């Protein structure tokens, strides 16, 4: 059985861990958002790829959900002592080694997919870890500049980390997406998978960014296997992250139903065959098999059960 | 009073500290060897500039003589866990912040002299810190490859750090030196200084490399002030570093007299007006005022006294 999961960072990583527990014999391909990627202090940083890699490779800081366990912050403090901006990004010492290896390989001309495979040699994440694209696509957020009052585009990380998504956003712009192509293996994996799962990641700046790469949306729609989505919204609030700050920007209601309808039914020009919402949540998505199951990934067992529910919704084998 | 010191790393840095103590009101310009510079893991590393900057800025590890006090090695260990070569270079976490700032500025197009000035803003070394050149000049060592037995050029750092200078060397090659020009301010400083001092640094791969930049040797010869050299060889052995491994490669005897004659008298086409050798050492250098004084920089007081002896040999003001 081959399962393809579209994933962002923390939520996607945890779901993948549960999936590996639920289906230990399955071949799993993770197609990961790279729209959060950013170059800081000359280092190329891929937050979602690293979160998935560290989580599945048992290197993650479980409490924070991102970054390395046992992390230290010497380099960050020293950069601040030099007055080197920005100072608001959590750049840990252990993490920096990953960025150094990645930056050096990218500078040497290797595509991100090859770099990701090289890094994964160490972490052995147990899934095939694919960046959504080898081309650079960076999400920017159009905000009203607090000083001038005029619209200004800032990098997603600046909005997300520095401003905690508190600056009112008028739109998201995927810089570079028009020239991007799906990463090597992405379309082929989607086409042939027995099931495609949208992890409970941010529908706008994670899953939405992956789907925005020309060719990926069409490949999902053409998938042989069933497409199952998992709502990141429970009882009208984001489970983690700040999806509730992103959905209104694109005109989507912050509810399991709102997100389900945003993705839409594959039978009606959309993407989903099934949609998992949290027990107690109501959602009507025309043409989609909506199922209410516990969505909280509060323990390894709960996460595995959620993954099993997604597999169940995907049916046994091709639709 | 304006004093220009040609310097390498540890010995040059310690001498400069003594000079600032001996002549607290003097203007001091350090022209520092950059032939040891190397790019590792995508980071541009300038060992001698950093050693001088950290030493004079009170950030140096006094026991090692190089690198930052209170250093940690997290990034280095992590790079090794990725199998990222080389693993033999001592790349500390605190130190890495310096290299990140430098690399980022160089990549943005700033010349090394500007980068050095920016880094020195933090450290306030109390001297004007000038790289010998803004152009990249890297010392390579021609050795017999231990595996093939055939000559091969390796980077100086590989010879020095990895092989502890134990591989027999047949020559040193300053890659890039033909296209190098003296760094901004170097020639002007040499021309107008009241004294020029060669720190007790390696005569081949530190002072020799500085003098190898086209224009610097001529500027030393044309200096208004007296030129005073300090022997790095005491009783036939290198005080620190491995000058005794380098001198034979260029056909110079490992002795205070050998090095003094190698530099030669300014009155006879060479560089020196005065030459300081260690108490007890004998040296005859035709045309040069040879003085025997204690050269061991074994305490702040001893180092200050050595600097004072150099100032004395330079005379009061212009020759």
């Amino acid at each position: 059985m081959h399962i393809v999961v579209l994933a962002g960072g923390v939520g996607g990583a945890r779901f993948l861990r549960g999936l590996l527990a639920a289906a230990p014999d399955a071949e799993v391909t993770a197609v990961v958002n790279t729209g959060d990627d950013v170059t800081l202090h000359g280092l190329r940083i891929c937050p979602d790829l690293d979160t998935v890699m560290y989580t599945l490779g048992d290197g993650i800081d479980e409490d924070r959900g991102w970054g390395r366990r046992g992390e230290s912050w010497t380099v960050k403090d020293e950069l601040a002592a030099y007055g080197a901006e920005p100072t608001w990004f959590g750049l840990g010492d252990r993490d920096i080694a990953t960025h150094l290896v990645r930056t050096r390989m990218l500078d040497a001309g290797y595509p991100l997919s090859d770099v990701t495979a090289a890094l994964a040699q160490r972490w052995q994440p147990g899934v095939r870890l694919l960046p959504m694209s080898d081309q650079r696509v960076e999400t920017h957020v159009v905000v009203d500049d607090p000083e001038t009052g005029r619209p200004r585009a800032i990098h997603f990380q600046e909005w997300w980390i520095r401003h905690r998504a508190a600056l009112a956003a008028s739109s998201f712009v995927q810089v570079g997406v028009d020239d991007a192509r799906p990463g090597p293996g992405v379309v082929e994996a989607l086409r042939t998978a027995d099931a495609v799962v949208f992890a409970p990641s941010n529908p706008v700046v994670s899953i939405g960014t992956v789907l925005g790469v020309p060719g990926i949306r069409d490949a999902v729609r053409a998938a042989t296997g069933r497409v199952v989505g998992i709502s990141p919204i429970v009882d009208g609030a984001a489970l983690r992250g700040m999806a509730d700050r992103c959905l209104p920007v694109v005109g989507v209601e912050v509810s399991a139903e709102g997100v389900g309808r945003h993705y839409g039914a594959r039978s009606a020009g959309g993407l989903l065959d099934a949609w998992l919402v949290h027990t107690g949540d109501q959602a009507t998505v025309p043409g989609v098999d909506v199922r209410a199951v516990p969505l909280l990934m509060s323990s390894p067992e709960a996460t595995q059960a959620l993954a099993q529910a997604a597999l169940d919704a995907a049916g046994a084998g091709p639709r």
Side-chain angles (χ1 to χ4, degrees), chain A residues 131-155:
Chain A
M132 67 185 197
S133 177
D134 273 342
Q135 282 73 50
R136 192 160 157 168
V137 177
E138 293 191 11
T139 303
H140 281 64
V141 188
V142 180
V143 299
D144 289 333
D145 190 298
E147 290 178 21
T148 65
R150 292 164 60 185
R152 189 164 75 89
I154 60 177
H155 193 283

Side-chain angles (χ1 to χ4, degrees), chain A residues 3 5 14-24 28 197 303-304 307 311:
Chain A
I3 307 159
V5 178
R14 290 190 176 164
F15 176 78
L16 282 161
R17 191 160 55 181
L19 182 63
L20 291 178
V28 176
V197 180
T303 308
Q304 180 177 342
L311 292 175

Side-chain angles (χ1 to χ4, degrees), chain A residues 9-313:
Chain A
V10 181
R14 290 190 176 164
F15 176 78
L16 282 161
R17 191 160 55 181
L19 182 63
L20 291 178
D25 296 330
E27 177 192 350
V28 176
T29 299
V31 177
V32 179
N33 171 45
T34 58
D36 297 9
D37 293 7
V38 65
T39 300
L40 297 174
H41 304 287
L43 299 169
R44 189 65 182 161
I45 302 168
C46 300
D48 286 358
L49 280 170
D50 286 348
T51 295
V52 172
M53 184 173 75
Y54 295 156
T55 299
L56 300 184
D58 194 26
I60 200 79
D61 182 296
E62 295 283 352
D63 295 332
R64 276 199 312 271
W66 57 269
R68 296 285 310 279
R69 186 162 57 232
E71 188 57 286
S72 55
W73 310 90
T74 306
V75 178
K76 182 175 190 283
D77 292 346
E78 287 289 323
L79 287 170
Y82 275 114
E85 295 287 347
T87 55
W88 44 260
F89 194 86
L91 204 55
D93 297 334
R94 294 187 175 199
D95 205 24
I96 281 174
T98 303
H99 309 324
L100 281 170
V101 173
R102 174 187 292 124
T103 305
R104 187 184 182 191
M105 287 189 71
L106 289 171
D107 285 351
Y110 292 96
L112 181 60
S113 50
D114 284 354
V115 175
T116 302
L119 293 169
Q121 280 290 319
R122 172 181 175 193
W123 292 102
Q124 297 289 323
V127 305
R128 191 158 159 243
L129 194 56
L130 300 182
M132 67 185 197
S133 177
D134 273 342
Q135 282 73 50
R136 192 160 157 168
V137 177
E138 293 191 11
T139 303
H140 281 64
V141 188
V142 180
V143 299
D144 289 333
D145 190 298
E147 290 178 21
T148 65
R150 292 164 60 185
R152 189 164 75 89
I154 60 177
H155 193 283
F156 174 76
Q157 294 293 350
E158 184 171 357
W159 184 68
W160 193 253
I161 306 284
R162 184 182 190 185
H163 297 294
R164 311 295 308 161
L167 280 184
S170 56
S171 66
F172 296 101
V173 181
Q174 265 70 45
V175 178
V177 74
D178 291 344
D179 298 320
R181 300 180 300 280
V186 169
V187 167
E188 173 73 8
L190 286 166
R191 196 172 62 75
T192 60
D194 298 302
V196 176
V197 180
F198 294 2
S201 300
N202 191 308
V204 182
V205 296
S206 296
I207 305 293
T209 304
V210 174
L211 293 169
V213 176
I216 292 189
R217 186 181 182 90
D218 287 346
V220 172
R221 282 190 44 73
T224 308
R226 283 170 67 86
V227 180
V228 179
I230 302 168
S231 175
I233 303 294
V234 164
D235 194 21
L239 269 178
R240 73 188 56 74
M242 294 169 278
D244 52 336
R245 301 286 306 167
C246 301
L247 288 165
V249 177
V250 297
V252 174
E253 184 185 89
V254 182
S255 70
E257 182 170 291
V259 176
R261 286 173 179 250
H262 172 63
Y263 286 139
R266 194 141 69 132
S267 57
L271 297 158
L272 298 177
D273 298 311
W275 182 235
L276 304 189
V277 303
H278 188 52
T279 311
D281 268 344
Q282 305 296 325
T284 303
V285 186
V288 172
D289 172 15
V290 177
R291 301 181 179 199
V293 298
L295 295 191
L296 307 185
M297 297 188 285
S298 48
S299 69
E301 295 72 22
T303 308
Q304 180 177 342
L306 169 60
Q308 186 59 56
L311 292 175
D312 293 344

